[in-house]
Amino acid sequence: LEMFPGESSGACWKSGIDFHVNTPTQQMYRLCRECPVRAACDEFSIRNERFGFRAGRKAKERTALRKELGIPEPPMKEVELV
């Protein structure tokens, strides 16, 4: 299930690596840098993802960027509340 159009074309989908972690590896950074949908992933994740590594950014980096840009923190998802 794609979270944004084109997500299944992302390097992370094809890698088999779990990007829902907070300690990314150098391989994950490299995949994101070279990803054809990085810009769309970044835009989506800044507005919608509280956790994990997305579009080459850690969760805390997205939080800082949201504050800088005046974008509200996304709401908690039910699966995150469990």
Side-chain angles (χ1 to χ4, degrees):
L1 178 65
E2 288 189 337
M3 300 298 284
F4 61 88
E7 183 180 27
S8 61
S9 298
C12 60
W13 275 57
K14 298 171 185 174
S15 73
I17 297 171
D18 181 9
F19 276 66
H20 294 94
V21 298
N22 287 313
T23 308
T25 65
Q26 289 303 313
Q27 181 184 18
M28 292 164 72
Y29 279 106
R30 182 181 52 76
L31 287 169
C32 284
R33 266 194 316 273
E34 299 169 358
C35 184
V37 296
R38 182 178 181 182
C41 182
D42 198 30
E43 183 176 331
F44 176 84
S45 65
I46 288 169
R47 297 187 183 281
N48 299 284
E49 295 287 341
R50 291 175 68 102
F51 303 103
F53 183 75
R54 303 275 280 173
R57 296 182 198 269
K58 296 178 187 178
K60 66 181 180 179
E61 293 169 322
R62 289 193 305 275
T63 298
L65 186 58
R66 282 186 204 101
K67 287 179 183 177
E68 182 181 318
L69 298 174
I71 298 171
E73 193 75 15
M76 293 287 282
K77 298 174 186 172
E78 283 187 41
V79 293
E80 295 168 347
L81 297 174
V82 175

